[in-house]
Amino acid sequence: MSVKKPSPQWKKFQPPVQDPAIISIHQNPSVVNLNVNAELPQTAPGFPRVRETGLIDKKQHSYGFIQCCDRDARLFFHYSEYNGNVEALKIGEAVEFQMSYDRRTGKPVAVAVVKVDPSMVSPEIINDEKVQGTIVQEAKLIKQKNGTVPGTQDGLGRVTYVHNGECFFLPYGLDDVVANSTTPKAGEDVLFQIATDKRDGKIRARNVESLESATQRYVGVVCSMKDTFGFIERADIVKEIFFHYSEFKGDISELILGDDVSFGVQIRNNKEVAVEIECLPEGTVIFEDIAVEMVKGKILKMIKSTNRRPSEALAGRIMYETPKGLIEIPFGEKDQRGECTLQQGDTVEFQIATDRRDKLQRATNIALLDETFEYSGEIRETGVIAALKDGYGFIYCAERDARMFFHFSEFMDLTYSPRLQDELQFTVDQDASQPTRQVATRIRHLSKGSVSFINVLAGVYIGTIDKEPSTHKNQGKNKEGEPGNIIYDYEGVIQQIPYFFKDVTDQNNLPHFGDKVDFQIGELKSTGKKQAVKVRVVLRNIAGRCHGFVATLKENYGFIETADHEKEVFFHFSSFNGDTNELELGDEMEYTLARKSSKVSAENIRKLNKGTIPPDETVREKGTLQGRIIRPMRIVNTEQEEYCGLVQAMDDDGNDIDEPYPYGITSLADKRDFLQKDDVVRFQVARTKKDGSLRAINIGALRKFIRAKVDSVKGQYGFINFEAAEEGKKLFFHMTEVHDGAVIQPGDEVEFVLVQNQRNGKYSACSLRKITDTRRPERLLSRLKSITEDNSSYKVIIVRNPRGPDNTKGFQPRTPWKPAVS
């Protein structure tokens, strides 16, 4: 019966495309011996010649014939065109060849014939989907008669099936019956696959199996799950099969993607579905075999990240070398080891995976090799990890003034765990998600000391420390703080260059202000700026040790009066070697000078024992003088330039005598005394050790002390019930002005000196002394005064005040009686 409508399998038939891996082997003329009479057909430049597959149909003494698998043709070939032992070549074996033309006759012939794997050669295309039909004529075994060979159509049976409402009859033979199935009888229902001959388009039934004996179990992996159904990736063929949740033997909520399962196959609505599904132990189903040995190759084609069609699942290509020549092998997007960016031309190592179902080979476990960068000429940069977040971080680049973003997936070594300050090598690339941003890719971890941010120039220079680096780090971009400064002579010109503490060779022997150092000049790769590196102390500035006295103490800093009493030097509490809570005004100190900013400050400060600094000699003949302050110290009036104050001596009539005497913090009898202009004082005169000049010492103010009560105390300050210049306001005082560390509480009576701030004109109390303990608050005292007399009660009235025997008040001190001496 003729087929009126072509089978669906034939509609899907497409001419085969040659595997480029096979083509690459046989493009080398040394592989086979070409027939001198054969002329190769001309092809367009750049396109490989098409190779075909076929089966050996006949062999003679020196030649044979090949039946083409892809078209209806039978080609002559000479044994000289076969690459191998012709004697071992048998009829029916699969070969691959290239068609050419005989130069003498012009007939088509086969050249460059090679033997190939039979599984790769087939004259038919077999549809994977099984079809259900009915046997209408049984296939029979035909024996030879009188030495004749049976024909191809002898003994064939017929099976019928319905497709789109039409009935088709297909031939089949006994060799088409599945081995483990019983031979189907006429009228019996069967399952079979449709095979289409690529040469003439004829179709027939293959793999015929009795429906009653189709109890074979298959295995696979759950690859998709929907609301009530899913799909299983089969392990016997490259195909997915539908299943309904009702066919699962167990709790469907426990079935998850990736589970290994076994199942049977049934035909429902002319489609195969999985039935009687059962879970298998994890790892039971294996789709491919992975070779143990690692292979090295180069990437020829990368997988595009967008617009990828389903048919391009293995779109990548890697070329590697074998004893037979260069071979291309495909790979997919999941075959890479990690997610490091790969590029065309990269040298990689991989393993070869062979699919058990269709024997297709692909590259897997692909890893980028370091030798890629040795030959590619790719620009590689270095840096250190500056910050780490959840899955990403930033690199402080050595070659550019920037922080480069990176993702953990870009590390070439999957076992590496990033840490801060780790040194890295990387490639800078454009971010695919943000074209305006650059990111670090293809990152490799380097050993410590491999990354250098500075190019050290030749030559060693001698200089002097003019400014020490700041020990306080800034909160801004410059995390190293303010740099120090070195002054040096270069070709007769005074130069200066910055340096940091990290650039000092010996961290236990840091240079200080005035020290002689040698150094080299380093040039930053990122900005080109120069700085001193490998700084080493050559000669200490011994004369740099200074002495002085604590003149001012604030919250976290203070000032030191120099030993010659001529100026004051700023210092921060962090520069003091000891407990700053123990510091008091007038304490003797030893320090070194350093310039960390525009001003000189004291560093390396330590407290000296009292009397270490020799005191000035008192001029006894001057005696004790009385005078007035004509200029206070700068700590009282910060707007004046001179540090020292001046006191003018006066006679009894108030006339000025002698020249004004300078004084400092050590000149005050009470270091807390707040001397202001025009204050009357009593003092002595001393002669300085330095130049013999005279100065005032033991200065004490002749002031009128005021008594009042404390109104309130708030931490380190408080207020006194005394109205100074502004009516209705309390008088401010600070706890540092309280003598003897007394505890001041509201209600205490104190005596103090009223002073006025020279800058803002406001008044405050200083030199506080506690007079009495806490008394009753004023509100209670005023309440007692307001109580009226009650005449209804008894009263006590003093009639005569007590007097002594001599009619004086009180009692006199008792004089012990002494007996007269006889």
Side-chain angles (χ1 to χ4, degrees):
M1 179 178 178
S2 62
V3 179
K4 295 181 180 180
K5 186 175 182 180
S7 167
Q9 178 67 17
W10 176 245
K11 291 181 180 180
K12 297 180 182 179
F13 172 72
Q14 296 292 336
V17 178
Q18 295 297 320
D19 190 338
I22 300 175
I23 296 173
S24 62
I25 296 180
H26 304 302
Q27 284 180 344
N28 189 345
S30 62
V31 176
V32 296
N33 300 317
L34 294 177
N35 187 351
V36 294
N37 294 323
E39 181 179 358
L40 296 176
Q42 297 296 323
T43 60
F47 289 88
R49 297 182 178 93
V50 177
R51 294 181 62 79
E52 302 180 48
T53 56
L55 302 173
I56 299 298
D57 185 61
K58 186 176 182 181
K59 286 181 61 178
Q60 295 298 331
H61 178 66
S62 60
Y63 62 91
F65 291 90
I66 300 174
Q67 181 66 47
C68 298
C69 290
D70 301 327
R71 57 195 175 96
D72 189 11
R74 188 169 180 263
L75 299 181
F76 167 89
F77 78 98
H78 194 271
Y79 286 171
S80 62
E81 293 293 337
Y82 178 69
N83 182 28
N85 184 8
V86 179
E87 299 298 331
L89 190 64
K90 300 178 182 178
I91 295 176
E93 288 192 320
V95 293
E96 186 185 58
F97 60 91
Q98 184 175 321
M99 191 192 77
S100 182
Y101 298 95
D102 193 290
R103 293 182 179 178
R104 293 177 298 177
T105 62
K107 294 182 178 180
V109 295
V111 298
V113 182
V114 294
K115 186 177 178 181
V116 295
D117 188 351
S119 63
M120 300 173 57
V121 178
S122 175
E124 296 178 334
I125 297 178
I126 300 178
N127 190 357
D128 293 336
E129 188 173 332
K130 290 189 176 182
V131 181
Q132 183 175 346
T134 305
I135 299 295
V136 294
Q137 180 180 334
E138 298 179 25
K140 298 180 181 180
L141 179 63
I142 305 299
K143 297 182 179 180
Q144 296 183 358
K145 295 181 179 180
N146 300 326
T148 60
V149 179
T152 56
Q153 300 297 321
D154 294 341
L156 294 182
R158 294 292 184 272
V159 59
T160 181
Y161 75 103
V162 178
H163 179 71
N164 290 340
E166 295 187 59
C167 184
F168 296 91
F169 292 86
L170 299 182
Y172 78 97
L174 289 178
D175 55 346
D176 295 320
V177 179
V178 177
N180 59 353
S181 176
T182 58
T183 303
K185 305 297 182 181
E188 187 175 348
D189 293 335
V190 293
L191 296 177
F192 62 92
Q193 293 173 283
I194 300 175
T196 305
D197 197 310
K198 293 186 287 187
R199 299 167 294 186
D200 53 14
K202 293 181 180 180
I203 57 177
R204 64 178 293 164
R206 295 287 191 190
N207 300 324
V208 181
E209 182 181 12
S210 175
L211 189 60
E212 296 180 358
S213 61
T215 59
Q216 181 179 356
R217 299 287 292 177
Y218 302 91
V219 295
V221 175
V222 177
C223 62
S224 176
M225 295 185 70
K226 305 298 182 182
D227 293 336
T228 58
F229 63 92
F231 290 88
I232 299 173
E233 180 75 19
R234 298 179 60 167
D236 55 328
I237 56 175
V238 184
K239 182 182 177 182
E240 295 179 3
I241 187 170
F242 170 90
F243 75 96
H244 194 271
Y245 287 175
S246 60
E247 293 292 341
F248 179 69
K249 294 183 176 180
D251 187 358
I252 191 63
S253 62
E254 298 179 357
L255 186 68
I256 60 175
L257 290 176
D259 279 355
D260 295 346
V261 294
S262 67
F263 57 92
V265 177
Q266 287 186 3
I267 302 296
R268 295 178 181 173
N269 298 326
N270 290 329
K271 290 185 179 180
E272 289 183 328
V273 296
V275 296
E276 299 180 357
I277 304 169
E278 297 178 352
C279 271
L280 296 175
E282 184 178 355
T284 303
V285 180
I286 301 176
F287 289 100
E288 57 191 11
D289 298 314
I290 300 177
V292 177
E293 62 273 7
M294 301 298 295
V295 184
K296 186 185 296 185
K298 282 186 175 292
I299 295 180
L300 290 182
K301 180 183 177 183
M302 281 301 302
I303 302 174
K304 294 182 179 179
S305 58
T306 58
N307 299 328
R308 189 183 303 122
R309 296 175 297 178
S311 59
E312 297 179 336
L314 300 177
R317 290 289 185 273
I318 296 177
M319 176 179 286
Y320 68 101
E321 190 173 357
T322 66
K324 296 182 180 180
L326 295 176
I327 293 181
E328 291 182 20
I329 188 170
F331 69 91
E333 61 179 355
K334 296 182 180 179
D335 289 318
Q336 182 181 345
R337 192 191 311 163
E339 300 178 16
C340 175
T341 301
L342 297 179
Q343 298 177 358
Q344 186 173 348
D346 285 348
T347 302
V348 295
E349 66 176 6
F350 59 92
Q351 293 172 284
I352 297 177
T354 304
D355 197 305
R356 292 183 174 183
R357 299 168 294 182
D358 56 5
K359 306 303 180 184
L360 176 66
Q361 290 186 332
R362 62 182 177 88
T364 189
N365 292 330
I366 304 169
L368 181 64
L369 296 179
D370 292 339
E371 61 186 77
T372 295
F373 312 113
E374 298 177 5
Y375 308 104
S376 63
E378 181 176 321
I379 299 176
R380 301 281 285 171
E381 298 188 22
T382 56
V384 298
I385 297 179
L388 289 174
K389 304 294 183 181
D390 186 13
Y392 66 93
F394 292 90
I395 301 173
Y396 182 61
C397 301
E399 287 78 13
R400 63 177 73 196
D401 189 15
R403 279 163 45 108
M404 195 66 60
F405 174 87
F406 74 94
H407 199 276
F408 289 1
S409 60
E410 286 293 340
F411 286 110
M412 296 170 56
D413 184 3
L414 298 181
T415 61
Y416 168 67
S417 179
R419 296 172 297 179
L420 287 175
Q421 297 302 315
D422 277 0
E423 301 180 9
L424 307 174
Q425 185 186 59
F426 54 91
T427 300
V428 177
D429 201 355
Q430 295 297 127
D431 191 347
S433 59
Q434 300 182 22
T436 58
R437 184 176 71 167
Q438 292 181 318
V439 296
T441 60
R442 301 150 73 87
I443 306 172
R444 184 164 68 97
H445 177 231
L446 300 177
S447 58
K448 190 173 182 61
S450 302
V451 177
S452 174
F453 290 83
I454 299 177
N455 287 324
V456 180
L457 306 180
V460 179
Y461 302 86
I462 300 292
T464 304
I465 299 296
D466 180 57
K467 172 187 171 185
E468 294 184 37
S470 174
T471 56
H472 313 291
K473 293 186 178 181
N474 294 339
Q475 298 298 324
K477 293 183 178 180
N478 187 10
K479 295 296 182 64
E480 295 180 334
E482 290 294 326
N485 196 49
I486 299 176
I487 296 177
Y488 67 104
D489 185 354
Y490 180 71
E491 296 182 353
V493 180
I494 299 300
Q495 306 280 353
Q496 57 182 1
I497 189 170
Y499 80 100
F500 294 92
F501 275 136
K502 67 179 181 62
D503 298 316
V504 179
T505 304
D506 186 0
Q507 292 293 317
N508 295 324
N509 191 23
L510 297 174
H512 300 298
F513 178 75
D515 290 348
K516 293 288 184 182
V517 294
D518 62 8
F519 61 93
Q520 289 181 267
I521 296 178
E523 190 176 59
L524 290 175
K525 296 179 181 179
S526 57
T527 61
K529 294 182 180 179
K530 295 181 180 180
Q531 67 183 56
V533 297
K534 299 183 179 179
V535 181
R536 185 173 62 90
V537 177
V538 177
L539 181 63
R540 283 290 184 187
N541 180 22
I542 302 177
R545 299 300 297 179
C546 304
H547 291 160
F549 308 90
V550 176
T552 307
L553 291 173
K554 299 295 183 180
E555 185 176 354
N556 55 8
Y557 67 93
F559 288 90
I560 297 176
E561 179 182 309
T562 58
D564 56 9
H565 312 291
E566 293 182 354
K567 59 183 179 179
E568 60 181 351
V569 181
F570 169 86
F571 76 96
H572 194 274
F573 283 0
S574 61
S575 301
F576 176 66
N577 298 327
D579 186 2
T580 55
N581 294 322
E582 298 177 359
L583 288 179
E584 294 182 359
L585 295 177
D587 283 348
E588 300 177 20
M589 313 294 284
E590 184 183 58
Y591 60 94
T592 58
L593 292 176
R595 190 165 68 84
K596 295 185 177 181
S597 59
S598 59
K599 296 182 180 180
V600 175
S601 62
E603 294 288 333
N604 305 313
I605 306 170
R606 68 184 185 91
K607 187 176 179 180
L608 299 176
N609 294 327
K610 190 173 182 179
T612 304
I613 303 176
D616 295 332
E617 182 182 356
T618 304
V619 181
R620 299 295 179 183
E621 59 269 18
K622 290 282 187 180
T624 301
L625 303 176
Q626 185 171 335
R628 61 184 175 84
I629 302 297
I630 61 175
R631 187 182 73 191
M633 296 173 58
R634 187 161 58 192
I635 58 176
V636 176
N637 184 12
T638 57
E639 295 182 355
Q640 71 183 31
E641 295 183 0
E642 299 83 0
Y643 165 71
C644 294
L646 291 177
V647 56
Q648 178 65 59
M650 298 183 303
D651 57 17
D652 295 338
D653 297 331
N655 299 320
D656 296 344
I657 58 175
D658 299 332
E659 294 292 328
Y661 296 102
Y663 72 93
I665 190 68
T666 56
S667 302
L668 302 179
D670 183 359
K671 302 298 187 297
R672 298 177 183 274
D673 212 346
F674 199 79
L675 297 180
Q676 295 181 296
K677 187 177 179 180
D678 297 330
D679 280 351
V680 179
V681 296
R682 183 181 290 110
F683 66 95
Q684 292 177 295
V685 179
R687 195 180 306 276
T688 61
K689 298 286 186 183
K690 179 181 179 182
D691 53 8
S693 60
L694 300 178
R695 61 188 300 267
I697 61 171
N698 297 328
I699 303 175
L702 300 176
R703 288 173 175 166
K704 178 182 178 182
F705 279 87
I706 304 172
R707 290 193 177 190
K709 294 179 181 179
V710 177
D711 179 73
S712 61
V713 176
K714 299 179 180 179
Q716 293 298 313
Y717 63 93
F719 294 92
I720 299 174
N721 280 318
F722 182 81
E723 295 182 2
E726 299 183 34
E727 185 177 354
K729 288 191 176 181
K730 309 296 183 181
L731 184 64
F732 172 86
F733 74 93
H734 200 274
M735 284 296 183
T736 56
E737 296 292 339
V738 179
H739 284 262
D740 303 325
V743 178
I744 302 297
Q745 296 180 355
D748 287 349
E749 186 176 6
V750 293
E751 66 175 7
F752 57 90
V753 175
L754 183 66
V755 295
Q756 185 180 21
N757 192 300
Q758 299 295 320
R759 288 184 299 172
N760 53 30
K762 293 184 177 181
Y763 289 89
S764 62
C766 70
S767 299
L768 275 79
R769 299 179 187 274
K770 186 175 179 181
I771 302 301
T772 61
D773 291 334
T774 304
R775 293 187 176 185
R776 289 185 178 183
E778 288 292 334
R779 65 179 186 276
L780 296 181
L781 294 177
S782 60
R783 183 179 178 185
L784 290 175
K785 294 178 182 178
S786 64
I787 297 177
T788 58
E789 288 190 48
D790 188 1
N791 297 326
S792 63
S793 61
Y794 292 101
K795 294 188 294 183
V796 178
I797 301 175
I798 298 176
V799 177
R800 179 176 62 85
N801 289 325
R803 292 180 179 275
D806 55 354
N807 202 28
T808 59
K809 287 184 177 182
F811 296 92
Q812 297 299 325
R814 180 182 179 187
T815 303
W817 176 80
K818 292 182 180 180
V821 179
S822 59

